[in-house]
Amino acid sequence: MIKRYNKQITSQRWLVNFICSAIIILLFFAVFIFAFDPCFQYRVENRKYFFYERYVAPGLISNYDYDTLVIGSSRAENFDMALFREKFEVKPLLIGIGGMGVKDLTKLMEIAEDVQRAERYYVCIDYSMFLSDRQLVPEYLYHKDILSRWKYATSYEAWFRFIPADICGSIMHVLDIGMPKIMEDKMEIDRYSNWNDYTDSGEKEVISTYVPNKKVLSEFEKEDTLDSMQTEIDAFIDSLNLSRGEYIFFFPPYSCLWWCDVENTGHAEVYYEAKKYFIKRVADKGTIYDFQHAALTLDLNNYCDSGHYDQNINDWMIEQFSNNQYKVTTENINEKLSLMKKNTSEFRKEYLWLWQDTK
Amino acid sequence: MIFSSYIFVFCFLPITLVVYYIFSSGDNSIFQRLFLIFASLFFYGFGNPKYLILLSISLFINYSIALLLQNLISHNYRKILFLFGILFNIGLLIYFKYYNFFITNINFIFKTTFIPQSISIPLGISFFTFQQISFLISIYKKEEEAGSIFNYGLFVTFFPQLVAGPIVLYGEMLPQLNDYKRRFSNADNLVKGICLFVIGLFKKVVIADTISTIVDNGFKISEIGFAAALITSVSYTLQIFFDFSGYSDMAVGLGKLFNIDLPFNFAAPYKSESITDFWRRWHITLGRMLHQYLYLPLGGNKKGSIRTCVNLLVTFLASGFWHGADWTFVLWGGCHGFLVVAERLLGRRLEIIPKKVRIAITFLTINFLWILFRAEKLRYALVMYKGILGLSGIKFWQVSQLAEDGIINFPDIINCLYILMLLLFLLFVVFKCKDSRDIVSDFKATRKNAVCIAIIFCIAVLCLSREVIFIYYKF
């Protein structure tokens, strides 16, 4: 047998052997990925594999059984789905991607609307989303055409990262070998993106990691930034079918330190206008919550850095959703903004040394 | 378009190959050549068609000058026209590649305020300009005939070598283009071409792109310690070899598929016993061009020992500057030049050092100098040098950071083991395994190696989704 394989053959036969072998191997790749499916493009099985935030999002939205979709950036990643179930008696799915931009948000929402599983959508709105044109999820995971499926079947990440890690993880799980908590969490659909247990929070931590932003926007840049944010907001809202389900948008509670920082750079004025614009565009079609003027934003002990809060705040937001508190409309937005500015001003007085020191 | 992309491997290449040989059935080879020129231009302009304008202008002007040079009798007119042609090509290169470099330095020295332009460097400009300069020289010296526009067009645009070499001489290409037998498909060449292409693809997408994570992470660390700096520099030494030699293997392999023999660019360069030896084995076609069109016209080694040293230094400085418009490249070229001069002065005295020690010293020296080549600014290179000399401490804990790719964060110990195993394995490959030229020259078509090459190809396909650009595309 080995002798036969080592025997010299004609170049024509070599070419036939090469092409046939390549086709067989590539077909094997496709079948294996279909069966293994680390990005849940064909089916979802909880506690079988690790969940890789950016890579599983389209698959989960397509194939998981849910009626409520909670979606957003790192500010949404710590939502407790058990609390959602308890408060609203729903089947929620959390899709959190750190640093998510509007490109990914739009595409993920499009998939969700296409599959028509969700009756309710909780969408976390960050200003930075509309300033970033980066896409974190590979394009082929958004499509079901044959070329995209082929790219998935032969993707580097699946074969060289996810499959080896999944096999090791599954073996450890089956053999009941203790895995670090962070890896255990990654096998839970409710907790795969949760980072609360792996960061320190408190005033000291926030102050020590705070680096003042030095880039100040010119008047021209302010106009330009607002224009491009409004264009992105338009494109995002136009892509949604707001009549098909219940849409709940919310502005997460950044700390007053974050607001001081964006006031210093001139971004704050742009964000106020962008928020007003967003609310104007969706006010009559969806519900909007604004937590940015909440009193808790003054207390840095709730935060791990100027823009990220700990899980208690996520729980608190769920409480407010259930009590219909902190709703914002076109009528009361100016009042809420004034309150937020007042909070920021109070905070600035108390922490003035922060900016004096950096000078 | 890049060789290591789905569209190239699964669409462009098979379609071009099949259509090219369909055209071989006719009596006239013009359609075949014309098709290959159009395919090459499509390859070049894919993604950014505006580059095609520059390439077409450059082609048209150079060919016109060559025709005039061929037909003019007056020696003075020929000389003026020739100088115009050379200046046109160098001017093109200076404008697109070096304009901002000169402006920045003039502003710095003379405190002027000329505004740098946002000029995007056309792909492969250094390569096709060099090739056209060599063409003009050979026509001027009456070594070659300009030939038909189709031959000339194909000589410059032939897609396997258009963007990053190998830099081919007109005299090498023309006889092959005129050879009737080469118009028809040849199964032996197809087999060798596929083998070389697959080996090159594997080197690039599986090996070089995997190590690039380590290198990129290393150069991002602001206070890098000895351990991470050493690993980063060795990784870059391996990355640039596998990246560029992978590209060159693919180019030679693709040439073979069309029955064109392109010269090999590498001959196991890290097995060199000296820096001089290294430059005989690394980017061979660039070395050949610089030797023929710069070193020899400067006087070569015919004008005494001091002049030879100066000529060598100038040639290496030019080589550095050719690679990029930055002082880091000039310094890198200068250091190599200085070492080559030193080796020349020491002569046979170096031979008392055992061969293995010489290879090790050469490798470490090249490794040390690649840092200049990779660093975007001189100050980043200094950070790395500080680290590698141990002036920032050892900092073992930084090693694990080098393997982080933002997809999965493995425990530190796994990351460290992964890096160590990977580098040891690649060093073994570099020092102990045959290079692609030897693999292909000893190649025997068997069922076993058909399956092996198919497996290597399929593993490479798995890495195509990363689509990392070739390092030498920048030049």
Side-chain angles (χ1 to χ4, degrees):
Chain A
M1 184 76 172
I2 294 169
K3 237 181 188 177
R4 218 182 99 204
Y5 269 80
N6 280 326
K7 201 179 136 195
Q8 194 159 353
I9 54 176
T10 63
S11 294
Q12 284 85 347
R13 281 197 78 82
W14 188 95
L15 288 169
V16 172
N17 274 285
F18 168 76
I19 292 168
C20 292
S21 309
I23 290 171
I24 291 167
I25 298 165
L26 291 174
L27 282 175
F28 166 76
F29 286 165
V31 172
F32 190 85
I33 284 288
F34 177 76
F36 207 91
D37 195 19
C39 298
F40 306 111
Q41 286 282 311
Y42 303 105
R43 69 199 80 84
V44 177
E45 290 177 64
N46 197 12
R47 289 202 69 81
K48 189 172 177 191
Y49 307 128
F50 295 122
F51 291 86
Y52 312 98
E53 271 176 44
R54 290 184 284 144
Y55 291 84
V56 296
L60 284 179
I61 295 177
S62 295
N63 300 311
Y64 189 64
D65 182 23
Y66 62 96
D67 60 15
T68 299
L69 179 66
V70 183
I71 187 166
S73 65
S74 48
R75 275 109 189 171
E77 286 181 317
N78 292 343
F79 275 120
D80 182 356
M81 291 299 101
L83 204 55
F84 257 93
R85 282 187 201 101
E86 185 193 314
K87 292 274 176 199
F88 306 107
E89 293 179 355
V90 292
K91 288 192 274 183
L93 168 66
L94 172 63
I95 296 293
I97 300 178
M100 186 200 281
V102 71
K103 260 190 184 174
D104 282 315
L105 182 62
T106 307
K107 288 180 179 177
L108 291 169
M109 290 299 286
E110 274 170 11
I111 297 179
E113 288 183 344
D114 280 352
V115 296
Q116 294 186 29
R117 286 210 169 86
E119 291 160 12
R120 201 172 296 110
Y121 301 87
Y122 286 86
V123 187
C124 175
I125 302 296
D126 282 300
Y127 303 105
S128 56
M129 273 180 174
F130 301 106
L131 290 171
S132 157
D133 65 347
R134 68 181 174 166
Q135 184 177 316
L136 298 172
V137 178
E139 189 62 34
Y140 60 81
L141 292 176
Y142 282 125
H143 307 285
K144 290 190 165 73
D145 59 278
I146 189 136
L147 186 65
S148 303
R149 292 298 198 207
W150 166 251
K151 283 191 173 181
Y152 173 48
T154 59
S155 67
Y156 166 80
E157 292 80 13
W159 281 94
F160 289 90
R161 309 296 281 164
F162 304 154
I163 290 174
D166 281 340
I167 290 173
C168 293
S170 300
I171 292 170
M172 286 169 83
H173 187 70
V174 168
L175 298 178
D176 206 17
I177 298 170
M179 270 193 283
K181 186 174 180 306
I182 191 165
M183 292 172 91
E184 281 284 351
D185 278 355
K186 289 261 173 217
M187 291 178 113
E188 294 275 358
I189 198 158
D190 281 353
R191 291 192 58 80
Y192 72 97
S193 61
N194 192 300
W195 45 263
N196 192 61
D197 293 344
Y198 315 105
T199 46
D200 297 322
S201 56
E203 184 187 17
K204 204 175 152 194
E205 181 66 21
V206 177
I207 301 289
S208 68
T209 54
Y210 172 64
V211 182
N213 204 337
K214 297 245 167 72
K215 167 97 176 69
V216 178
L217 292 182
S218 66
E219 284 308 311
F220 172 74
E221 283 172 320
K222 280 181 197 171
E223 268 178 44
D224 211 31
T225 311
L226 181 60
D227 275 352
S228 73
M229 282 184 85
Q230 287 178 341
T231 311
E232 293 295 343
I233 289 170
D234 282 339
F236 170 61
I237 293 168
D238 291 344
S239 74
L240 301 174
N241 189 347
L242 294 168
S243 58
R244 191 173 272 173
E246 190 186 343
Y247 281 80
I248 298 119
F249 300 97
F250 60 96
F251 290 91
Y254 308 121
S255 74
C256 284
L257 177 60
W258 190 89
W259 282 108
C260 286
D261 203 46
V262 293
E263 272 184 2
N264 294 346
T265 61
H267 282 89
E269 294 162 49
V270 179
Y271 293 165
Y272 302 150
E273 291 306 312
K275 185 197 267 187
K276 281 190 204 170
Y277 187 74
F278 187 91
I279 292 167
K280 199 175 112 192
R281 285 286 332 253
V282 295
D284 53 341
K285 295 164 199 146
T287 312
I288 310 154
Y289 288 85
D290 181 8
F291 302 114
Q292 298 183 335
H293 58 277
L296 58 86
T297 57
L298 284 152
D299 184 1
L300 292 182
N301 285 313
N302 292 318
Y303 292 85
C304 55
D305 63 42
S306 65
H308 292 89
Y309 34 82
D310 66 25
Q311 192 173 332
N312 294 331
I313 306 299
N314 291 83
D315 295 349
W316 173 83
M317 282 195 274
I318 297 174
E319 198 68 41
Q320 305 318 308
F321 291 141
S322 74
N323 297 335
N324 287 320
Q325 297 288 313
Y326 287 91
K327 276 190 180 172
V328 68
T329 59
T330 42
E331 284 80 38
N332 68 5
I333 177 65
N334 285 328
E335 184 196 323
K336 307 283 180 196
L337 277 174
S338 305
L339 188 55
M340 193 185 75
K341 286 177 197 169
K342 195 174 143 251
N343 285 347
T344 310
S345 161
E346 268 176 38
F347 180 89
R348 188 184 288 279
K349 275 181 212 156
E350 194 182 334
Y351 285 89
L352 201 58
W353 55 271
L354 260 177
W355 295 282
Q356 284 169 338
D357 269 10
T358 54
K359 277 175 191 170
Chain B
M1 200 184 297
I2 57 174
F3 295 162
S4 53
S5 61
Y6 288 110
I7 187 145
F8 181 85
V9 175
F10 293 108
C11 298
F12 178 84
L13 181 60
I15 293 171
T16 308
L17 207 57
V18 168
V19 177
Y20 178 76
Y21 286 120
I22 287 174
F23 277 124
S24 71
S25 57
D27 289 338
N28 202 330
S29 68
I30 287 178
F31 291 118
Q32 212 179 4
R33 286 178 214 187
L34 207 57
F35 168 73
L36 204 48
I37 291 172
F38 277 119
S40 299
L41 291 176
F42 176 80
F43 167 85
Y44 185 73
F46 187 82
N48 200 345
K50 69 178 184 191
Y51 290 154
L52 282 174
I53 301 169
L54 178 79
L55 180 64
S56 309
I57 292 171
S58 168
L59 265 172
F60 177 73
I61 292 183
N62 278 294
Y63 187 66
S64 308
I65 293 172
L67 282 184
L68 285 170
L69 277 177
Q70 197 167 273
N71 296 323
L72 275 176
I73 298 163
S74 158
H75 180 68
N76 287 342
Y77 285 148
R78 285 189 87 238
K79 197 169 186 176
I80 291 167
L81 196 62
F82 171 68
L83 283 175
F84 170 76
I86 299 292
L87 285 176
F88 165 74
N89 285 301
I90 292 177
L92 218 58
L93 204 56
I94 287 178
Y95 176 73
F96 282 102
K97 197 167 168 181
Y98 301 104
Y99 179 84
N100 284 340
F101 173 77
F102 287 124
I103 289 293
T104 315
N105 283 287
I106 288 169
N107 283 344
F108 179 76
I109 296 165
F110 300 107
K111 308 287 174 223
T112 49
T113 53
F114 295 115
I115 300 163
Q117 308 269 316
S118 79
I119 304 167
S120 57
I121 304 173
L123 219 53
I125 189 168
S126 308
F127 288 91
F128 68 73
T129 306
F130 249 48
Q131 215 155 295
Q132 307 215 67
I133 288 174
S134 88
F135 167 71
L136 285 185
I137 294 173
S138 61
I139 299 292
Y140 178 68
K141 287 183 174 173
K142 297 184 180 173
E143 291 165 353
E144 305 290 343
E145 293 272 314
S148 81
I149 180 90
F150 301 112
N151 281 347
Y152 175 70
L154 202 50
F155 158 66
V156 179
T157 63
F158 186 43
F159 73 88
Q161 47 89 50
L162 174 61
V163 181
I167 304 170
V168 190
L169 301 175
Y170 196 50
E172 280 172 334
M173 274 288 260
L174 195 60
Q176 298 190 59
L177 295 175
N178 287 331
D179 185 353
Y180 180 76
K181 280 184 196 163
R182 288 180 191 256
R183 286 179 54 198
F184 305 99
S185 67
N186 176 325
D188 293 345
N189 278 346
L190 284 175
V191 169
K192 285 186 178 175
I194 288 173
C195 284
L196 268 172
F197 181 77
V198 170
I199 290 169
L201 189 68
F202 187 87
K203 277 177 165 181
K204 160 67 185 159
V205 297
V206 181
I207 302 177
D209 292 351
T210 300
I211 330 173
S212 75
T213 310
I214 299 174
V215 177
D216 294 346
N217 288 339
F219 274 89
K220 273 183 214 153
I221 300 175
S222 53
E223 287 248 339
I224 194 164
F226 171 77
L230 184 67
I231 287 172
T232 304
S233 68
V234 172
S235 300
Y236 184 64
T237 301
L238 294 167
Q239 186 201 350
I240 194 165
F241 169 68
F242 283 108
D243 189 287
F244 192 27
S245 74
Y247 169 83
S248 297
D249 289 347
M250 279 190 259
V252 177
L254 289 169
K256 276 239 180 290
L257 295 179
F258 293 91
N259 295 323
I260 300 285
D261 292 323
L262 297 174
F264 276 91
N265 244 345
F266 292 88
Y270 292 148
K271 290 179 190 166
S272 307
E273 291 170 40
S274 65
I275 301 293
T276 314
D277 187 24
F278 172 75
W279 280 104
R280 286 189 203 112
R281 295 159 173 262
W282 179 274
H283 204 173
I284 297 166
T285 56
L286 175 70
R288 180 178 70 171
M289 290 288 284
L290 289 170
H291 181 261
Q292 210 163 323
Y293 298 119
L294 184 64
Y295 178 69
L296 291 182
L298 285 171
N301 59 0
K302 304 274 185 237
K303 294 190 174 177
S305 155
I306 295 174
R307 184 64 190 271
T308 305
C309 295
V310 172
N311 292 345
L312 279 171
L313 212 52
V314 170
T315 308
F316 276 95
L317 284 170
S319 162
F321 201 46
W322 177 87
H323 279 92
D326 208 308
W327 287 111
T328 49
F329 290 108
V330 180
L331 201 58
W332 170 80
C335 290
H336 273 277
F338 175 78
L339 290 169
V340 169
V341 167
E343 282 174 358
R344 190 179 178 87
L345 295 175
L346 287 167
R348 295 196 153 221
R349 268 168 283 186
L350 286 172
E351 284 173 21
I352 54 166
I353 304 169
K355 186 179 165 186
K356 283 187 179 167
V357 178
R358 267 185 284 153
I359 292 175
I361 292 172
T362 307
F363 179 78
L364 289 173
T365 312
I366 291 162
N367 180 55
F368 196 73
L369 293 177
W370 277 134
I371 292 171
L372 275 173
F373 195 87
R374 168 62 173 77
E376 282 158 29
K377 295 268 174 251
L378 201 54
R379 63 172 184 277
Y380 300 146
L382 292 176
V383 169
M384 196 57 73
Y385 285 133
K386 219 174 128 187
I388 219 165
L389 294 171
L391 301 174
S392 304
I394 295 178
K395 296 182 182 168
F396 274 119
W397 54 269
Q398 287 177 339
V399 173
S400 139
Q401 278 180 30
L402 298 176
E404 288 172 4
D405 65 357
I407 300 175
I408 308 177
N409 292 331
F410 287 108
D412 290 354
I413 184 76
I414 293 182
N415 280 345
C416 293
L417 278 173
Y418 159 74
I419 291 174
L420 196 70
M421 305 286 279
L422 180 69
L423 293 191
L424 286 176
F425 172 71
L426 294 179
L427 286 170
F428 175 81
V429 171
V430 162
F431 286 107
K432 291 287 172 195
C433 295
K434 280 183 185 177
D435 71 0
S436 4
R437 184 159 61 170
D438 296 333
I439 293 174
V440 172
S441 66
D442 301 343
F443 185 80
K444 274 190 192 131
T446 62
R447 203 166 277 159
K448 186 177 141 192
N449 62 33
V451 176
C452 287
I453 293 288
I455 292 170
I456 292 174
F457 171 71
C458 293
I459 293 172
V461 166
L462 294 182
C463 295
L464 288 181
S465 63
R466 290 192 285 189
E467 281 202 22
V468 183
I469 200 156
F470 290 97
I471 293 177
Y472 261 69
Y473 267 33
K474 283 188 285 190
F475 311 133

